[in-house]
Amino acid sequence: MHGIGNDFVLIDETRAPVGVPWEDLAISMCRTKFGIGADGLLILTKGDHAPLRMDMINADGSNGGMCGNGLRCCARYAFEHGLVDAPRFDIEIGR
């Protein structure tokens, strides 16, 4: 997915946990010449206090923390794929 020039690999873990080392996966998948190529990896899971949670791992494997463009991508994905039932909802951020 992409949001205003940033592109991401989005992994939906809401239905079935993948359980992989995200940092290693981000490094291998986000490489532009040898992987899919992206600015980072977005992991969407069920939230503790909100319907969903977004974790963002940068292409170098570091924790991305808050990413507005990534949040927009997760929100659109969640709504379009029926993970939420309203166009406005909360998403938890970060690890």
Side-chain angles (χ1 to χ4, degrees):
M1 297 191 78
H2 70 88
I4 310 178
N6 292 122
D7 52 344
F8 305 98
V9 174
L10 188 146
I11 297 177
D12 179 355
E13 255 202 333
T14 61
R15 294 184 175 110
V18 178
V20 299
W22 296 121
E23 295 79 8
D24 295 339
L25 186 63
I27 292 168
S28 64
M29 290 184 80
C30 294
R31 293 179 67 188
T32 57
K33 304 244 189 263
F34 300 102
I36 294 170
D39 294 312
L41 182 67
L42 302 173
I43 302 107
L44 194 59
T45 59
K46 293 183 180 179
D48 294 326
H49 305 287
L52 299 168
R53 175 186 189 82
M54 177 194 87
D55 289 301
M56 196 266 187
I57 309 295
N58 290 317
D60 65 0
S62 64
N63 185 346
M66 170 55 187
C67 176
N69 288 337
L71 180 60
R72 292 163 31 107
C73 291
C74 285
R76 180 173 181 161
Y77 176 90
F79 185 69
E80 288 182 353
H81 288 86
L83 301 179
V84 293
D85 56 4
R88 294 183 134 196
F89 54 93
D90 293 332
I91 297 180
E92 296 172 24
I93 304 291
R95 292 183 175 204

